[in-house]
Amino acid sequence: MNFHSFEFAAFFILVYILYLHLGHRAQNRMLLVASYVFYSAWDWRFLGLILLSTITDYFCSHAIQNSDIARIRKAYLWLSIIVNLSILGFFKYFHFFVDNFIDFFALFGLQLHAPLWQIILPVGISFYTFQTISYTIDVYRKQVKPAPQFLDYALYVSFFPQLVAGPIERGQRLLPQILQPRTIRREQVTEGLFLIYWGLFKKIFIADNIGAYLQAIGDPAAPGVENGGLVLVYAYAFLFQIYCDFSAYSDIARGTAKLMGFELMINFRSPLFAPNFQEVWNRWHISLTTWIRDYLYYPLALTPIRGKNLEPRLIVIITFLIMGLWHGASWNFILWGLYCGVLLALYATWSAKTRRFMYQITGRKAQLLILLSMMLTFNAGAFGILLFRANSFEQLGSWVYHLFFNFSINLEMLELFFRVILHALPLLIFDALMYKKQDIQDLFYYPIILRYAFFYLTLYLMVVHGAQSSAFIYFQF
Amino acid sequence: MSFNQTEIQTQVNQILASFIQKATGWEGELDPEMSLINGGLIDSLSLVNVVVALQQNFSIEIGIPEITLENFDTLNAIYQMIENKLA
């Protein structure tokens, strides 16, 4: 059930009508049933996994809370982490590790055979697993009190607006909103409707149209095409597509939650305009990057090994490798994680050495420097997205070869490039306006003529020039 | 080892000034209410180093839940947190 389908619209209208007529406790129960129905629309068989994760974490969190003995508290924490990571590991990484195991032994002439059965990846598993792990760790760290009622906790794990592709919500933020009666403020309705509308526009007009161009290109380095210029256009197009697609999902999730009086966290803050890689990761998939920071980076950085703390830049690389693997069981995601980690570590080193000189540059020179830095960061991100997209090392090698050693531009490519930029233009304008803002509220104070122009133009583009619907890309993670 | 309020403030100032000077080249006087994280003087990489240095200097343990904007964004907040830990 995609957010941009009539099926979801009908589902949400029904849920919303019921929601408005129920009391707090009944609202929570109804939302839990609705969330399970929503998930079942993908594949009801995997509801069992959500239930297993929910029961484990509910049980472990209470056991942690009820014990003062450090050893017991830690044992329950590890039980929760092991159960959750085992589910994730089996369903997401089993084939990857088995295949690599077999390939490794094949190097020594040992022929092993992979099991014949195939494991289907349950939708949203990486998102809700990370959410439940963070909850138990927060209870262990005494940052969150366990939810008293099992059914309320079950709603925290499965809340349908953010169940399959985030934002990955923390217990500190979402649980109190579930446990306390909610009031729906007028601003929440306005903002919620706007976020849903803007998310639909980004998905239907920008992401899916650009997706159609990408499909038409196929492999930008296939025999007969073989040109680095097309690889570059392809990288830009995919970067715009994945950003619009994923941020659209987050916007619609936040919007639907707001309509019911919930506040979910902001997941993207104009990352394409970031002037350096560090800033990109402060602005891209914020719920995951802050998760990685709080539950991986800080523990690794602050735990001495043989009396010494690890070098933070090394930890950045390790955590980004893990983040790459989180995206998928494939070497290209690991390579992408490594690329991002190394770039970030290099930036940290470079920035520490040059920042004092940068502070001395002011005025137009500083503005020019920021612009150049933004373009460089954007291109580094676009190169990274090729690693993310590639299906094999051969394909990636071919793209990189043509990009750097067989680069030329022709009219056809230029036309394609401008088509992509024209589709992304509303996003670029919107994100440029939003770059220094905390959230969307300021937009409602723009002159009325601008707001109407924005609405009619985007509605026209979406309805008349919207592309054929496709599933959200991040569902596969 | 015990520290009085002035010693805490002096040593925190020295640690922070050294990190900020290394990271940004900033050599000016640090104001106790100046925003260190939001103001861009400390990022998440140097924050970890600051935490480790404070832990070693004052022989205290700073838990991960305590690494927050409220505890680290200004010198005053850092003084307060360390005073509370040493109390």
Side-chain angles (χ1 to χ4, degrees):
Chain A
M1 201 190 304
N2 273 309
F3 273 172
H4 56 309
S5 65
F6 287 111
E7 202 184 0
F8 179 76
F11 166 82
F12 184 66
I13 289 167
L14 180 66
V15 167
Y16 201 50
I17 291 169
L18 284 171
Y19 185 85
L20 294 176
H21 287 88
L22 295 172
H24 169 242
R25 194 182 157 88
Q27 278 178 342
N28 283 359
R29 302 297 172 262
M30 185 274 295
L31 282 179
L32 178 63
V33 173
S35 298
Y36 285 164
V37 169
F38 176 79
Y39 194 77
S40 301
W42 302 103
D43 197 329
W44 63 269
R45 292 170 298 176
F46 294 127
L47 262 183
L49 293 181
I50 295 186
L51 273 172
L52 177 62
S53 183
T54 308
I55 292 166
T56 304
D57 287 292
Y58 182 77
F59 168 73
C60 288
S61 61
H62 279 272
I64 291 169
Q65 176 79 4
N66 294 335
S67 175
D68 291 327
I69 303 164
R71 188 171 46 83
I72 293 178
R73 289 168 57 81
K74 199 168 258 185
Y76 281 110
L77 172 69
W78 279 109
L79 175 66
S80 157
I81 292 174
I82 289 168
V83 169
N84 281 299
L85 290 184
S86 302
I87 296 172
L88 184 65
F90 180 75
F91 282 91
K92 191 159 179 170
Y93 301 106
F94 180 79
H95 284 301
F96 175 69
F97 286 117
V98 166
D99 291 346
N100 280 285
F101 190 74
I102 290 170
D103 288 347
F104 177 75
F105 279 98
L107 293 175
F108 303 100
L110 277 171
Q111 292 300 317
L112 302 173
H113 297 285
L116 291 172
W117 34 278
Q118 282 295 316
I119 298 167
I120 305 166
L121 179 68
V123 70
I125 189 168
S126 308
F127 290 91
Y128 71 74
T129 303
F130 269 37
Q131 182 156 316
T132 56
I133 288 176
S134 75
Y135 164 81
T136 318
I137 296 176
D138 286 348
V139 171
Y140 178 79
R141 289 177 178 172
K142 299 184 177 171
Q143 285 179 291
V144 169
K145 284 193 172 162
Q149 299 270 330
F150 175 77
L151 294 178
D152 287 332
Y153 176 66
L155 177 59
Y156 161 72
V157 179
S158 63
F159 185 45
F160 75 84
Q162 43 91 233
L163 172 60
V164 290
I168 303 165
E169 285 291 338
R170 306 289 179 83
Q172 290 142 291
R173 189 183 166 92
L174 187 54
L175 258 180
Q177 298 184 58
I178 290 171
L179 299 177
Q180 299 297 320
R182 296 165 290 271
T183 48
I184 304 170
R185 287 175 285 114
R186 184 192 288 257
E187 312 87 78
Q188 281 182 308
V189 175
T190 321
E191 289 163 21
L193 289 173
F194 176 79
L195 282 168
I196 293 170
Y197 177 76
W198 179 237
L200 287 174
F201 176 78
K202 278 197 285 190
K203 172 68 181 157
I204 295 168
F205 178 71
I206 307 176
D208 287 348
N209 269 316
I210 292 179
Y213 289 135
L214 285 166
Q215 250 186 344
I217 295 172
D219 183 343
V225 187
E226 293 174 319
N227 189 315
L230 194 62
V231 175
L232 188 66
V233 176
Y234 187 83
Y236 289 159
F238 185 54
L239 186 57
F240 283 127
Q241 187 207 16
I242 200 159
Y243 171 50
C244 283
D245 193 278
F246 192 17
S247 65
Y249 182 90
S250 293
D251 285 347
I252 299 170
R254 284 185 66 216
T256 46
K258 266 182 192 281
L259 290 181
M260 296 185 283
F262 287 90
E263 290 291 338
L264 300 182
M265 72 180 289
I266 298 172
N267 222 5
F268 295 89
R269 288 185 196 274
S270 311
L272 301 184
F273 286 98
N276 59 63
F277 236 58
Q278 190 167 348
E279 196 55 31
V280 168
W281 288 107
N282 286 333
R283 292 169 173 274
W284 179 283
H285 201 175
I286 300 166
S287 66
L288 178 65
T289 53
T290 50
W291 195 103
I292 295 277
R293 181 196 66 197
D294 293 346
Y295 303 106
L296 269 176
Y297 176 76
Y298 282 156
L300 284 172
L302 295 173
T303 309
I305 297 172
R306 291 180 187 166
K308 281 188 102 179
N309 290 82
L310 284 173
E311 161 62 42
R313 282 167 294 191
L314 177 66
I315 302 168
V316 165
I317 295 172
I318 295 169
T319 50
F320 268 85
L321 271 174
I322 295 169
M323 191 150 89
L325 193 61
W326 177 89
H327 279 84
S330 170
W331 281 106
N332 66 309
F333 290 120
I334 297 173
L335 195 62
W336 172 75
L338 179 68
Y339 169 80
C340 293
V342 169
L343 268 192
L344 204 51
L346 287 175
Y347 172 75
T349 309
W350 184 82
S351 154
K353 289 193 189 303
T354 58
R355 211 181 289 178
R356 69 182 66 194
F357 305 112
M358 296 299 177
Y359 273 105
Q360 292 161 10
I361 303 170
T362 52
R364 291 238 162 145
K365 276 186 186 168
Q367 287 173 340
L368 185 68
L369 204 64
I370 289 172
L371 186 69
L372 285 173
S373 187
M374 252 163 35
M375 287 165 66
L376 192 66
T377 305
F378 181 86
N379 279 287
F383 180 76
I385 215 74
L386 287 177
L387 312 180
F388 196 93
R389 175 82 172 188
N391 289 321
S392 64
F393 284 124
E394 290 77 25
Q395 188 176 46
L396 179 64
S398 155
W399 289 354
V400 173
Y401 170 77
H402 290 296
L403 190 59
F404 290 105
F405 303 106
N406 183 25
F407 191 91
S408 66
I409 295 168
N410 59 37
L411 267 180
E412 212 177 328
M413 261 172 232
L414 273 179
E415 189 197 331
L416 189 62
F417 172 74
F418 283 114
R419 276 176 183 272
V420 169
I421 294 294
L422 267 180
H423 277 93
L425 196 59
L427 168 90
L428 294 172
I429 295 170
F430 184 89
D431 271 19
L433 290 173
M434 289 297 299
Y435 187 76
K436 288 192 173 168
K437 296 195 176 11
Q438 284 303 311
D439 206 350
I440 52 169
Q441 287 84 3
D442 286 0
L443 296 175
F444 301 115
Y445 296 101
Y446 277 36
I448 196 161
I449 191 160
L450 280 181
R451 283 183 279 149
Y452 272 99
F454 167 85
F455 176 71
Y456 285 116
L457 186 65
T458 48
L459 188 66
Y460 167 78
L461 290 172
M462 184 160 53
V463 173
V464 179
H465 297 288
Q468 201 177 1
S469 150
S470 64
F472 285 90
I473 296 170
Y474 259 68
F475 282 9
Q476 65 185 289
F477 304 134
Chain B
M1 198 186 292
S2 64
F3 299 88
N4 63 34
Q5 200 180 32
T6 317
E7 283 170 337
I8 291 173
Q9 295 187 359
T10 311
Q11 293 186 24
V12 168
N13 285 358
Q14 279 171 357
I15 291 169
L16 266 293
S18 155
F19 274 104
I20 291 169
Q21 205 268 328
K22 263 192 224 162
T24 68
W26 171 276
E27 284 172 343
E29 189 79 10
L30 286 173
D31 184 278
E33 272 308 313
M34 181 189 275
S35 174
L36 304 172
I37 297 172
N38 280 338
L41 292 173
I42 297 182
D43 57 28
S44 52
L45 285 180
S46 37
L47 180 60
V48 165
N49 290 329
V50 169
V51 171
V52 172
L54 292 173
Q55 289 188 139
Q56 286 169 353
N57 191 81
F58 294 103
S59 302
I60 52 171
E61 198 171 312
I62 299 172
I64 293 162
E66 292 167 303
I67 308 176
T68 59
L69 197 63
E70 293 77 49
N71 284 342
F72 281 91
D73 198 33
T74 63
L75 284 171
N76 273 340
I78 300 173
Y79 303 151
Q80 190 63 52
M81 183 196 58
I82 291 173
E83 279 171 28
N84 290 344
K85 287 203 161 282
L86 293 172

